Amino acid sequence: METTAWFAARQELPPNRRKLLAIGSFVLPILIWCLVSYVPFLWHPMVRISDPGAVDYFQADMLVDKAVFKAELETMQAQGGALPVGGLSNPIYLPPPHKVAEAFYTGFTTPPASKDGLWLHQSLWQSIQVIFWGFLLSSLVAVPLGVLAGTYSAVSRLFEPFIEFFRYLPAPAFGALAVAVLGIYEGPKIAIIFIGTFFQQVLIISNTTRKLDYALLEAALTLGTSRLKLLRHVVIPGILPDLYRDQRILLGWAWTYLIVAELIGTSSGITWFITQQARYEHFENVYAAILMIGIIGLGTDLVLAKLGKRLFPWDKPANKQ
């Protein structure tokens, strides 16, 4: 009976089990990461040198392949030289969790290496602004167009065939054109976010609008409602909870274009920080910055979900989340 309760098809779980599974979805990958990082026999293909011994090119804290270390160890044993000493380690691009946790703190407390560099929080703020303006401008155009296309077949037939075609074109392909038109600073980055989300928004919102019960439209038209009032008093209120939920999902889509967008023109934002840290092989800072993007995105979504419950208390899908 207990097993059936956990795995019943399309049955909603009790709140305590939902929370337990939600926590487990984060704990499980972290546990795997810890096992790979701290248990030597799971992977650890490298050896971190603690004492180079008589091997002239070995240095303390240097990472070498296990096969190379073994060969040099056998050579020193045969020659009677000082033996190198080292411990098993993973490659430099896979730092352990505690190093990444330290990088979360030091990233906000350590000043930039160069005088004209930016602090991590300043880089994050640049990225948030790019996302905000790109998605806002996209929504200001896409939401009304999507509602009109979902309500009126003429609008749908006029716009959706081209939008269906255009949505398959990768947004980064327009990077050079965006720089030529908008310059090298924030303009082309915002444009890439706009292009990457606009066409998807129109199609998703138009499909959401079509799901509105047609009986509501018939009743309003029978009562002599004008086209404008039909949109204002029937269509938009009827789809508002679903429209809000669509926008939450599409905002996450905007974040996926951030790294590509910030590589266009002058590098800036969190992408610049990640690029610089990777160049100097500070991969714990790279992981910390990537995780920060996820935390900000997820945190924003959770706040919007809570807000949605207050705005639409009658909406069952919103209140199950």
Side-chain angles (χ1 to χ4, degrees), residues 8 19 21 54 74-75 86 112 129 148 176-177 181 186 206 209 232 277 293 319:
K19 290 180 181 178
L21 292 173
E74 291 174 350
T75 300
Q129 287 180 303
L148 289 172
L177 182 61
V181 175
E186 302 305 306
S206 64
T209 305
R232 288 176 53 193
Q277 297 303 316
I293 295 174
N319 289 290

Side-chain angles (χ1 to χ4, degrees), residues 37-59:
S37 297
Y38 300 127
V39 180
F41 59 81
L42 281 183
W43 189 32
H44 289 66
M46 312 291 288
V47 174
R48 185 177 296 276
I49 305 299
S50 56
D51 183 354
V55 182
D56 54 2
Y57 70 91
F58 278 4
Q59 297 178 3

